[in-house]
Amino acid sequence: MSAHEDTHAHDAHDDHGHHHKETFVTKYIFSQDHKMIAKQYLVTGTIMGVIGVLMSMMFRMQIAWPEQPNVLFEALLGKWAPEGVMDADIYLALVTIHGTIMVFFVLTAGLSGTFSNLLIPLQIGARDMASGFLNMISYWLFFLSSVIMVISLFVEAGPAAAGWTIYPPLSALPMAQGGSGMGMTLWLVSMAIFIASSLMGSLNYVVTVINLRTKGMSMTRLPLTIWAFFITAIIGIISFPVLLSAALLLIMDRSFGTSFFLSDIFIQGEVLHYQGGSPVLFEHLFWFLGHPEVYIVILPAMGLVSEIMASNSRKPIFGYRAMIASILAIAFLSTIVWGHHMFISGMNPFLGSVFTFTTLLIAIPSAVKAFNWITTLWKGNLQMNPAMLFSIGFVSTFITGGLTGIILGDSALDINVHDTYFLVAHFHLVMGISALYGMFAGIYHWYPKMFGRMLNKNLGYIHFWITAVCAYGVFFPMHFIGMAGLPRRYYTNTNFPLFDDLANVNVIITIFALIGGVVQIVYLYNFFSSIYYGKKATQNPWKSTTLEWTTPVEHMHGNWPGDIPHVYRWAYDYSKPGHDVDFVPQNIPLKEGEEELQH
């Protein structure tokens, strides 16, 4: 942590900030300013999120009212919904693209891309990312991959339709079904570009945190947000290349006659020339990324929630070092649990027991975090603003979703509910809804820093309460229809008299899903109208201690006018005895005789 970084960064700021005037194109489109790139990620992720949620509302309506004509289907799906009745092929395609968009484009890039870019330089005291140019390229690759994924929806034979996990042979044989053709090829191209974008971003985040911290900002003074982004980026660097290799091998199987993932295949009695490959090999490669991916999605949300809870409880985060240790433990364990997705793939029972052990082990650091959040809230002076409500909602869904993970992580129990709605309920609560809550909490909390204005608090309350009720209304009943054996990804269950009694439950779930989807319009209105008409933000509206609130409200490339502030204390000096106010920013020197706290 030498001072030469500070002076070097300051010189760079002079070069960028004062010597040339920014045009519309350099400021808003090809920007290298991390704050603008964060906004670009957020808006692109939001647009993709709207597409993903619309898809989920469509296939929920199909499950609730199968075979019934629907004007909406006819308008949105065209030839895939003759006379308003959804075609069976497009149902699986909608499920596939919904999963892909929400997991990768919204919760990975939208969440991590937005907040890693916004907060890493601001909270560690840096002028910008280590490489602004690389940062810009990573966003534009993400944008390109988003465009290709959306284009795949309009391919004549239909978009990719092999589930978001794209298992062979459906994904490896172009002739298997309509969605295995050009739509699948575009899916693979889009994901290859997306992975390149993620790797560029992750390398930039890691280098920035290691090299560009301001004077006094030791690793144990970093806010938990930065620890979460830092470790998330490392997990991404380790695991994303494995998915890239799987995608490239799949492209070779599809286009160049190899058989990495294809063995003896018969189509209508005709023997295809493939032999020697293994679809289970693809499962290993996919889930070696796919399970760490869950933590790539949830860790940034955990970091944001930790920061927001400390700030809105007006007390230090409980167990700071234990929180860091649990992030490190989750990162390590996340890379050795992927086999629990494959318990019914014919895996050796001994190997299954090993994966069961490591899967149950990961509950320990997750529980440490949950207990520490609850203890942070305990006897705090709670400020119940929308960001705080979404943070508490995050803890609720993370715990309820995590409890069912113990069942799915046990190979003997998992066999009974694998590929049923029980699984859908589990991962949507623990990963999907929890990460979305973390994202919403972060947006409500850091919106003043992004746009210089405040969001409407009352609209925020409406958004939270209706979303929270609907999220449980959708996913809580799914546990029960899953335990009753209802399989996922079936576009109708009318052929199975066994499931007739569950039809009404599916209708209730769908009604909650539709209300929950529609109420996001309140959030979107609040978000976009507040950019222009929101109340002007003060410099530190939440009275927080971290460095980003020491920068001026008006954006400037370089973050601080003059010198970068030095850091003298950890990030959570709230309600500290001996001070007149209930927060002491990190750049305030210690008083004589004052001890630095670190729990």
Side-chain angles (χ1 to χ4, degrees), residues 269-339:
E270 181 194 344
V271 186
L272 301 187
H273 62 276
Y274 296 106
Q275 57 186 34
S278 166
V280 175
L281 170 61
F282 180 85
E283 289 191 45
H284 279 290
L285 291 174
F286 181 90
W287 287 115
F288 190 82
L289 160 93
H291 201 81
E293 169 65 23
V294 172
Y295 297 100
I296 290 171
V297 162
I298 204 75
L299 277 177
M302 288 175 165
L304 297 173
V305 162
S306 303
E307 182 70 30
I308 292 164
M309 279 198 173
S311 183
N312 287 304
S313 299
R314 313 309 298 161
K315 56 184 279 201
I317 191 83
F318 184 86
Y320 173 79
R321 287 171 189 265
M323 287 293 231
I324 295 171
S326 63
I327 290 174
L328 294 169
I330 285 171
F332 170 69
L333 290 169
S334 73
T335 58
I336 54 170
V337 297
W338 79 89

Side-chain angles (χ1 to χ4, degrees), residues 449-466:
K449 187 56 24 205
M450 278 196 243
F451 297 101
R453 293 184 182 265
M454 307 294 286
L455 284 164
N456 183 308
K457 196 187 265 192
N458 291 331
L459 291 179
Y461 290 140
I462 293 168
H463 177 216
F464 169 74
W465 284 111
I466 299 179

Side-chain angles (χ1 to χ4, degrees), residues 57-236:
M57 290 164 79
M58 280 199 286
F59 61 68
R60 277 307 327 169
M61 285 192 278
Q62 165 62 25
I63 299 167
W65 301 287
E67 313 294 335
Q68 289 185 23
N70 188 314
V71 185
L72 194 66
F73 292 170
E74 203 165 7
L76 291 175
L77 298 176
K79 69 168 185 175
W80 298 108
E83 296 176 4
V85 179
M86 187 184 288
D87 188 276
D89 288 342
I90 200 65
Y91 176 82
L92 186 55
L94 288 173
V95 173
T96 301
I97 305 296
H98 162 79
T100 305
I101 283 177
M102 298 309 283
V103 171
F104 294 110
F105 292 83
V106 179
L107 298 177
T108 301
L111 176 58
S112 211
T114 300
F115 289 104
S116 297
N117 268 305
L118 179 71
L119 294 178
I120 287 176
L122 286 170
Q123 289 194 336
I124 68 172
R127 294 283 181 206
D128 205 324
M129 283 289 174
S131 169
F133 181 72
L134 199 64
N135 209 9
M136 177 184 79
I137 298 290
S138 78
Y139 167 72
W140 280 106
L141 285 176
F142 164 58
F143 181 80
L144 178 63
S145 69
S146 303
V147 169
I148 293 171
M149 190 60 73
V150 171
I151 286 171
S152 78
L153 301 175
F154 301 98
V155 173
E156 189 177 357
W164 77 277
T165 53
I166 57 158
Y167 286 170
L170 276 184
S171 58
L173 289 172
M175 70 289 278
Q177 58 172 349
S180 300
M182 176 57 83
M184 191 70 235
T185 303
L186 288 172
W187 192 101
L188 289 165
V189 171
S190 171
M191 285 309 301
I193 296 170
F194 177 86
I195 292 164
S197 156
S198 292
L199 286 173
M200 282 184 184
S202 296
L203 288 166
N204 218 350
Y205 306 151
V206 169
V207 172
T208 305
V209 172
I210 291 173
N211 287 337
L212 295 184
R213 302 192 307 278
T214 187
K215 194 171 180 188
M217 181 63 86
S218 62
M219 293 299 276
T220 49
R221 284 178 177 170
L222 287 174
L224 288 171
T225 35
I226 303 301
W227 269 104
F229 300 144
F230 179 60
I231 300 302
T232 299
I234 291 171
I235 302 174

Side-chain angles (χ1 to χ4, degrees), residues 267 275 319 376 460 496 575:
I267 288 192
Q275 57 186 34
T376 302
F496 307 101
S575 304

Side-chain angles (χ1 to χ4, degrees), residues 216 218 220-222 321 567-573 576 586 590-591 593-599:
S218 62
T220 49
R221 284 178 177 170
L222 287 174
R321 287 171 189 265
V567 168
Y568 300 96
R569 55 183 73 234
W570 75 320
Y572 299 103
D573 268 346
K576 193 172 185 185
Q586 284 187 278
L590 293 168
K591 293 180 177 178
E594 182 186 356
E595 285 186 28
E596 185 179 359
L597 290 175
Q598 270 188 14
H599 293 280

Side-chain angles (χ1 to χ4, degrees), residues 28 61 110 149 204 335 339 396 401 453 470 514 524 554 565 568 582:
Y28 292 106
M61 285 192 278
M149 190 60 73
N204 218 350
T335 58
S396 166
R453 293 184 182 265
C470 289
L514 294 173
L524 291 171
E554 292 299 319
Y568 300 96
D582 68 348

